[in-house]
Amino acid sequence: MSLVHNAHLPIGVFDSGVGGLTVLNAIRQRLPNENLIYLGDTARVPYGTKSASSVTRYAEQAAKALIERKIKMLVIACNTASAVAIEPLQYLYPDIPVIGVVGPGAEASCDATQSQHIGVIATEGTVNNQAYQNAILKRLPSASVVAHPCSLFVALAEEGWHTGDLVKQIVETCLEPFKREDHSLIDTLVLGCTHFPALKNVIADVMGDTVSLVDSAETTANAVASRLEAGQLLNMKALKGDVQFLVTDGPTRFARVAQHFFSDPIPASEIQLVDIQHFAH
């Protein structure tokens, strides 16, 4: 059956843990009538410290688990997995749209910049594999791209430390490289980790009004909406879609940390524990 006739099917979203909930939340706000399934591979978080081959294998297993639940679109809500696994997943699943967070974020930064000087903050793994740098330069070859790791932001976001003097001091210290004379020309900063939108307000305060922030969660949600509309896959039947949560370990901790990333409380009793490691291609 054509997917056009299956517009009621859910969108599958996966991440290594809880950070991808910012993407899920953005999709839910942008498309409140869509049904959603979120899979957090919490048994193997973080992906950023793993090899590309391992991350690709994990991503394929997460995707297979979601595909078996009958989804109409796959969203890779993890920057590391988006960087290394989007092409393999698009090859494996040619019949459904597969969207990652890197492409939409890079495109939005190219649209936003006036000076063509773009900054990127992400985890060390994402910075080192140059996913955003390459994606931006592919779209805007004349751009100057500076990327710096801000891995400490992940811990701040997960612990709910989003405001206050101490948080601002930490953010200022981590963003200090962008204040150097050779980096101070950036007018656009990409939040290249799905945890970072939780700190968006304090990052904006530190960077100032002259720097536009690109939220990869919001840009991915817009890309999802565009692809669904183009493929006539928007769910027009529901007024409010259902959301299911799957994790590979620690549903209680996931529920506790999720409150910092998702708009509604997620009871641990409503989180399904799944084993995805037996899936292989």
Side-chain angles (χ1 to χ4, degrees):
M1 182 181 293
S2 171
L3 279 176
V4 172
H5 302 297
N6 287 338
H8 66 282
L9 291 177
I11 300 167
V13 182
F14 79 87
D15 180 37
S16 59
V18 297
L21 289 173
T22 59
V23 177
L24 185 77
N25 208 45
I27 294 173
R28 192 181 184 213
Q29 291 177 359
R30 181 73 171 77
L31 301 165
N33 54 330
E34 293 295 335
N35 298 311
L36 301 163
I37 302 178
Y38 182 88
L39 169 58
D41 189 10
T42 46
R44 298 183 291 198
V45 66
Y47 281 3
T49 58
K50 310 296 195 301
S51 68
S53 60
S54 292
V55 172
T56 299
R57 184 172 73 254
Y58 300 165
E60 290 178 357
Q61 291 171 337
K64 184 72 181 297
L66 290 170
I67 292 290
E68 289 210 342
R69 285 167 170 78
K70 310 257 185 231
I71 59 174
K72 64 180 179 182
M73 172 182 278
L74 180 66
V75 179
I76 311 171
C78 170
N79 285 275
T80 302
S82 293
V84 302
I86 188 165
E87 290 184 2
L89 291 179
Q90 288 172 335
Y91 175 80
L92 287 170
Y93 302 109
D95 295 331
I96 67 169
V98 179
I99 293 179
V101 291
V102 173
E107 185 172 351
S109 71
C110 293
D111 291 339
T113 186
Q114 298 295 317
S115 69
Q116 299 191 16
H117 288 74
I118 300 171
V120 177
I121 54 174
T123 61
E124 190 166 356
T126 301
V127 169
N128 288 343
N129 68 31
Q130 299 192 24
Y132 274 99
Q133 297 95 308
N134 292 335
I136 291 169
L137 291 172
K138 182 178 180 180
R139 292 163 172 80
L140 189 63
S142 58
S144 171
V145 186
V146 179
H148 288 288
C150 293
S151 299
L152 191 55
F153 289 2
V154 173
L156 292 177
E158 290 203 357
E159 294 304 320
W161 291 15
H162 304 161
T163 60
D165 292 341
L166 177 59
V167 172
K168 186 173 182 180
Q169 290 174 12
I170 293 171
V171 172
E172 284 177 336
T173 300
C174 292
L175 296 180
E176 182 61 32
F178 292 104
K179 302 296 185 180
R180 295 204 309 259
E181 184 176 350
D182 56 337
H183 292 358
S184 61
L185 295 176
I186 70 162
D187 68 353
T188 303
L189 181 67
V190 180
L191 307 185
C193 172
T194 52
H195 283 76
F196 293 0
L199 298 167
K200 188 174 182 178
N201 289 339
V202 67
I203 293 171
D205 186 31
V206 170
M207 294 305 297
D209 296 337
T210 61
V211 176
S212 299
L213 301 188
V214 173
D215 182 338
S216 58
E218 291 180 359
T219 58
T220 302
N222 290 334
V224 167
S226 296
R227 287 290 294 276
L228 290 179
E229 185 174 8
Q232 296 181 296
L233 286 169
L234 289 170
N235 184 12
M236 308 304 291
K237 295 183 178 179
L239 294 177
K240 185 176 182 180
D242 295 326
V243 186
Q244 301 176 53
F245 296 94
L246 314 174
V247 296
T248 55
D249 191 30
T252 301
R253 184 183 187 278
F254 181 90
R256 177 181 67 80
V257 178
Q259 64 183 316
H260 306 309
F261 298 87
F262 200 64
S263 55
D264 295 332
I266 306 172
S269 60
E270 295 182 8
I271 301 171
Q272 182 181 351
L273 188 63
V274 296
D275 178 13
I276 67 171
Q277 296 189 35
H278 63 282
F279 288 123
H281 289 283

Coordinates of all heavy atoms in Angstrom, one line a residue, residues 117-154:
H117 N 30.2 34.4 7.9 CA 31.1 33.8 9.0 C 30.2 33.1 10.0 O 29.3 33.8 10.7 CB 31.8 35.0 9.7 CG 32.9 35.6 8.9 ND1 32.7 36.4 7.9 CD2 34.3 35.4 9.0 CE1 33.9 36.7 7.3 NE2 34.9 36.2 8.0
I118 N 30.3 31.8 10.1 CA 29.4 31.0 10.8 C 30.1 30.2 11.9 O 31.2 29.6 11.7 CB 28.7 30.0 9.9 CG1 27.9 30.7 8.8 CG2 27.7 29.0 10.7 CD1 27.3 29.9 7.7
G119 N 29.6 30.2 13.1 CA 30.1 29.4 14.2 C 29.3 28.1 14.4 O 28.1 28.1 14.2
V120 N 29.9 27.1 15.0 CA 29.2 25.9 15.3 C 29.7 25.4 16.7 O 30.9 25.4 17.0 CB 29.5 24.7 14.3 CG1 28.8 23.4 14.7 CG2 29.1 25.1 12.9
I121 N 28.7 25.1 17.6 CA 29.1 24.4 18.8 C 28.4 23.1 18.8 O 27.3 22.9 18.4 CB 28.7 25.3 20.1 CG1 27.2 25.7 20.0 CG2 29.6 26.5 20.2 CD1 26.7 26.4 21.3
A122 N 29.1 22.1 19.3 CA 28.6 20.7 19.3 C 29.4 19.9 20.3 O 30.3 20.5 21.1 CB 28.7 20.1 17.9
T123 N 29.2 18.6 20.4 CA 30.1 17.7 21.2 C 31.4 17.6 20.4 O 31.5 17.9 19.2 CB 29.4 16.4 21.4 OG1 29.2 15.7 20.1 CG2 28.1 16.5 22.1
E124 N 32.4 17.0 21.1 CA 33.7 16.9 20.5 C 33.7 16.0 19.3 O 34.3 16.2 18.3 CB 34.7 16.3 21.6 CG 36.1 16.4 21.1 CD 37.1 16.1 22.3 OE1 36.6 16.0 23.4 OE2 38.3 16.1 22.0
G125 N 32.9 14.9 19.4 CA 32.8 14.0 18.3 C 32.2 14.6 17.0 O 32.7 14.4 15.9
T126 N 31.2 15.4 17.2 CA 30.6 16.1 16.0 C 31.5 17.1 15.4 O 31.6 17.3 14.2 CB 29.2 16.7 16.4 OG1 28.4 15.7 16.9 CG2 28.6 17.4 15.2
V127 N 32.2 17.8 16.3 CA 33.2 18.8 15.8 C 34.3 18.2 15.1 O 34.7 18.6 14.0 CB 33.7 19.7 17.0 CG1 34.9 20.5 16.5 CG2 32.6 20.6 17.6
N128 N 34.8 17.1 15.6 CA 36.0 16.4 15.0 C 35.7 15.8 13.7 O 36.5 15.7 12.8 CB 36.6 15.4 16.0 CG 37.3 16.0 17.2 OD1 37.6 17.2 17.1 ND2 37.5 15.2 18.2
N129 N 34.4 15.2 13.5 CA 34.1 14.6 12.2 C 33.7 15.7 11.2 O 33.4 15.3 10.0 CB 33.1 13.5 12.3 CG 31.7 14.0 12.7 OD1 31.3 15.1 12.4 ND2 31.0 13.1 13.4
Q130 N 33.6 16.9 11.6 CA 33.4 18.1 10.7 C 32.1 18.0 9.9 O 32.0 18.4 8.8 CB 34.6 18.2 9.7 CG 35.9 18.5 10.4 CD 37.0 18.9 9.5 OE1 36.8 19.4 8.4 NE2 38.3 18.7 9.9
A131 N 31.1 17.4 10.5 CA 29.8 17.2 9.8 C 29.2 18.5 9.4 O 28.8 18.7 8.3 CB 28.9 16.4 10.7
Y132 N 29.1 19.4 10.4 CA 28.5 20.7 10.1 C 29.4 21.6 9.2 O 28.9 22.2 8.3 CB 28.2 21.5 11.4 CG 26.9 21.1 12.0 CD1 26.8 20.2 13.0 CD2 25.7 21.6 11.5 CE1 25.6 19.8 13.6 CE2 24.5 21.3 12.1 CZ 24.5 20.4 13.1 OH 23.2 20.0 13.6
Q133 N 30.7 21.5 9.4 CA 31.6 22.3 8.6 C 31.4 21.9 7.1 O 31.3 22.7 6.2 CB 33.1 22.1 9.0 CG 33.4 22.6 10.4 CD 33.3 21.5 11.5 OE1 32.3 20.8 11.5 NE2 34.3 21.3 12.2
N134 N 31.4 20.6 6.8 CA 31.3 20.1 5.5 C 29.9 20.4 4.9 O 29.8 20.8 3.7 CB 31.6 18.6 5.4 CG 33.0 18.3 5.7 OD1 33.9 19.1 5.5 ND2 33.3 17.1 6.2
A135 N 28.9 20.3 5.7 CA 27.5 20.5 5.2 C 27.3 22.0 4.9 O 26.7 22.3 3.9 CB 26.5 20.0 6.2
I136 N 27.9 22.9 5.7 CA 27.8 24.3 5.4 C 28.5 24.7 4.2 O 28.0 25.4 3.3 CB 28.2 25.1 6.6 CG1 27.3 24.9 7.8 CG2 28.4 26.6 6.3 CD1 27.8 25.5 9.1
L137 N 29.8 24.2 4.1 CA 30.6 24.6 2.9 C 30.1 24.0 1.6 O 30.3 24.6 0.6 CB 32.1 24.1 3.2 CG 32.8 24.9 4.3 CD1 34.1 24.3 4.6 CD2 32.9 26.4 3.9
K138 N 29.4 22.9 1.7 CA 28.8 22.3 0.5 C 27.7 23.2 0.0 O 27.5 23.3 -1.3 CB 28.2 20.9 0.8 CG 27.6 20.2 -0.3 CD 27.1 18.8 0.0 CE 26.4 18.1 -1.1 NZ 25.9 16.8 -0.8
R139 N 27.0 23.9 0.9 CA 25.9 24.8 0.5 C 26.4 26.2 0.2 O 25.8 26.9 -0.6 CB 24.8 24.8 1.6 CG 24.1 23.5 1.7 CD 23.3 23.4 3.0 NE 22.4 22.2 3.1 CZ 22.9 21.0 3.4 NH1 24.1 20.8 3.6 NH2 22.0 20.0 3.4
L140 N 27.4 26.6 1.0 CA 27.9 28.0 0.8 C 29.5 27.9 0.8 O 30.1 28.1 1.9 CB 27.4 28.8 2.0 CG 27.7 30.3 2.0 CD1 27.0 31.0 0.8 CD2 27.2 31.0 3.3
P141 N 30.1 27.6 -0.3 CA 31.5 27.4 -0.4 C 32.4 28.6 0.1 O 33.5 28.4 0.5 CB 31.8 27.1 -1.9 CG 30.5 26.6 -2.4 CD 29.4 27.4 -1.6
S142 N 31.8 29.8 0.0 CA 32.5 31.0 0.4 C 32.5 31.3 1.9 O 33.1 32.2 2.4 CB 32.0 32.2 -0.4 OG 30.6 32.4 -0.1
A143 N 31.8 30.4 2.6 CA 31.7 30.7 4.1 C 32.9 30.4 4.8 O 33.8 29.6 4.4 CB 30.5 29.8 4.6
S144 N 33.1 31.1 5.9 CA 34.1 30.8 6.9 C 33.5 30.1 8.1 O 32.6 30.7 8.7 CB 34.9 32.1 7.3 OG 35.7 31.8 8.4
V145 N 33.8 28.9 8.4 CA 33.2 28.1 9.5 C 34.1 27.8 10.6 O 35.2 27.3 10.4 CB 32.6 26.8 9.0 CG1 31.7 26.1 10.0 CG2 31.7 27.1 7.7
V146 N 33.8 28.2 11.8 CA 34.6 27.9 13.0 C 33.8 27.0 14.0 O 32.6 27.4 14.3 CB 35.0 29.2 13.7 CG1 35.8 28.9 15.0 CG2 35.8 30.1 12.8
A147 N 34.3 25.9 14.4 CA 33.6 25.0 15.2 C 34.4 24.7 16.5 O 35.6 24.6 16.5 CB 33.3 23.7 14.5
H148 N 33.7 24.7 17.6 CA 34.3 24.4 18.9 C 33.4 23.5 19.7 O 32.2 23.6 19.7 CB 34.5 25.7 19.7 CG 35.6 26.6 19.2 ND1 36.9 26.3 19.3 CD2 35.5 27.8 18.5 CE1 37.7 27.2 18.7 NE2 36.8 28.2 18.3
P149 N 34.0 22.5 20.4 CA 33.3 21.6 21.3 C 32.8 22.3 22.6 O 33.6 23.1 23.2 CB 34.2 20.5 21.6 CG 35.6 21.1 21.4 CD 35.5 22.2 20.4
C150 N 31.6 22.0 23.0 CA 31.1 22.5 24.2 C 30.4 21.3 24.9 O 29.2 21.4 25.3 CB 30.1 23.6 24.0 SG 30.8 25.1 23.4
S151 N 31.1 20.2 25.1 CA 30.5 19.0 25.6 C 29.9 19.2 27.0 O 29.0 18.4 27.4 CB 31.5 17.9 25.6 OG 32.0 17.6 24.3
L152 N 30.5 20.1 27.8 CA 30.0 20.4 29.2 C 28.5 20.8 29.2 O 27.8 20.6 30.1 CB 30.8 21.4 29.9 CG 30.6 21.6 31.4 CD1 30.8 20.3 32.1 CD2 31.6 22.7 31.9
F153 N 28.0 21.4 28.1 CA 26.7 21.8 28.0 C 25.7 20.6 28.1 O 24.5 20.8 28.5 CB 26.4 22.5 26.7 CG 27.0 23.9 26.5 CD1 27.8 24.4 27.6 CD2 26.9 24.7 25.4 CE1 28.4 25.6 27.4 CE2 27.4 25.9 25.3 CZ 28.2 26.4 26.3
V154 N 26.1 19.4 27.7 CA 25.3 18.3 27.8 C 24.9 18.0 29.2 O 23.7 17.7 29.6 CB 26.0 17.0 27.2 CG1 25.1 15.8 27.4 CG2 26.2 17.3 25.7

